[in-house]
């Protein structure tokens, strides 16, 4: 029996022609079709409709931004609340996604190495394995799943949602090699050992400003992966989604939390929903503060910021300049959440030049090196999970064409 809140949401869908929700889904999921099947109580068919477009339905429904993609384009939202599409998708995946249903497809067409086991990498690996390609995924960390599985806090994404995807990939015959650190040269060599390579290693380096050896100063990556100093008062430096994840995690660790950001709150790159959640939970934002120094002896005791002022608008966000004022905030933990960047040495050794810090690819997602494809954050910067799934799937299509040629 379908729960009342689910059937009520499904009933609200108007089944629009040229549905804007589907057009705004990077995976092109036929949303009116799957919701239409739910209305007819054909739940397993509805699940298959979504599953044929993405194995990441449960992950996307949990972390895709509500103010972007499908839900934000629903025509119901023009005069009231949009249809809760993620809620419907999540219901289907929780109920019907069974990793043990994966059947290995006989290997018929070539070998591919995938570098990185995040969303883009696994999306590509699964799409290739489903076509009979022998896929080996190389992961430098002990844990599979990249940033999405290991750095998004469990209050936003339950660990089991990603584990099920990995289990499905393994059951399909995809091989994973963990703790496999590859240099740029190693990646280049893979192109001679495999028919093609898909590079989905993400942005590997944290952006750093004032480096401090004081106890209590950690990068966002370290913090989200479990290195969490005990703290009464934590300052998170940055204004993106990762900063919000750190701030909300620090709150749950019992600290009073301030997010310090160099522009205005409206300029924060974090999704609106993430910002509002942080504020609702009690995180305080202090804007127009640019990091200046972290102070203390042995352990951090305060962080000093240069006060900024808005002098106009530039590229749709505030143009700012530094004033002569400094602001010091007492704290015992500072989390640097200033974003990530590509490891330029790695790419230089791989023979790939970066343009504006990103790997350039052609329409088929192939880099300047024959047989080496790339996708995910290294080509587009930090983006949504749905976009990474789409990159992985599109790369798999291009790779199969490349191998067959
Ligand atoms: Fe249904 Fe909204 Fe999509 Fe229209 S836009 S098909 S109402 S979910």
């Amino acid at each position: 029996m379908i729960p009342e809140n689910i059937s009520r949401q499904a009933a609200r869908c108007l089944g629009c022609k040229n549905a804007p929700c589907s057009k705004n889904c990077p995976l092109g999921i036929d949303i009116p079709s799957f919701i239409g099947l739910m209305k007819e109580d054909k739940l397993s068919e509805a699940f298959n409709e979504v599953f044929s477009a993405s194995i990441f339905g449960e992950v996307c429904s949990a972390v895709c931004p509500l103010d972007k993609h499908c839900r934000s384009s629903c025509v119901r939202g023009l005069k009231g609340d949009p249809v809760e599409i993620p809620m419907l998708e999540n219901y289907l995946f929780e109920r019907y996604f069974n990793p043990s249903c994966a059947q290995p497809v006989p290997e018929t067409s070539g070998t591919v190495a995938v570098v990185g086991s995040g969303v883009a990498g696994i999306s590509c690996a699964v799409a290739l394995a489903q076509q009979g390609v022998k896929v080996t995924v190389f992961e430098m960390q002990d844990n599979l799943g990249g940033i999405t599985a290991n750095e998004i806090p469990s209050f936003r994404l339950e660990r089991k949602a990603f584990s099920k995807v990995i289990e499905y990939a393994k059951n399909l015959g995809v091989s994973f090699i963990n703790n496999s650190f590859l240099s740029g040269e190693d990646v280049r060599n893979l192109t001679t050992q495999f028919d093609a390579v898909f590079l989905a290693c993400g942005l590997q380096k944290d952006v750093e400003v004032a480096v401090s050896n004081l106890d209590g100063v950690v990068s966002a990556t370290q913090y989200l992966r479990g290195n969490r100093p005990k703290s009464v008062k934590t300052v998170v430096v940055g204004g993106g989604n990762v900063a919000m994840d750190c701030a909300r995690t620090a709150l749950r660790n019992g600290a009073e939390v301030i997010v310090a950001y160099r522009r205005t709150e409206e300029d924060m790159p974090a999704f609106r929903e993430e910002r509002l959640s942080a504020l609702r939970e009690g995180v305080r934002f202090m804007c127009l503060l640019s990091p200046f120094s972290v102070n203390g002896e042995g352990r951090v005791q305060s962080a000093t910021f240069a006060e900024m002022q808005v002098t106009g608008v530039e590229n749709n966000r505030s143009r700012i300049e530094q004033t002569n004022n400094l602001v010091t905030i007492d704290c015992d933990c500072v989390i640097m959440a200033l974003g990530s960047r590509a490891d330029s040495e790695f790419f230089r050794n791989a023979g790939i030049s970066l343009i504006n810090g990103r790997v350039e690819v052609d329409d088929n997602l192939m880099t300047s090196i024959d047989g080496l494809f790339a996708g995910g954050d290294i080509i587009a910067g930090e983006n949504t999970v749905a976009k990474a799934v789409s990159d992985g799937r599109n790369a798999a299509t291009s790779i199969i064409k490349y191998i067959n040629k």
Side-chain angles (χ1 to χ4, degrees), residues 12-17 19-22 31-32 35 70 73-77 82-83 85:
R12 294 183 62 235
C13 176
L14 303 169
C16 312
K17 278 193 179 155
C21 53
S22 294
I31 292 166
I35 298 182
C70 61
S73 329
C74 173
V75 294
R76 280 279 195 189
V83 176
I85 304 163

Side-chain angles (χ1 to χ4, degrees), residues 17 56 68 90 94 164 181 183 217 303 331 353 359 393:
K17 278 193 179 155
F56 282 92
K68 238 178 165 181
N90 186 272
E94 277 210 327
K164 279 159 76 177
F181 181 84
S183 67
V217 181
C331 58
S353 35
V359 172
R393 212 180 54 178

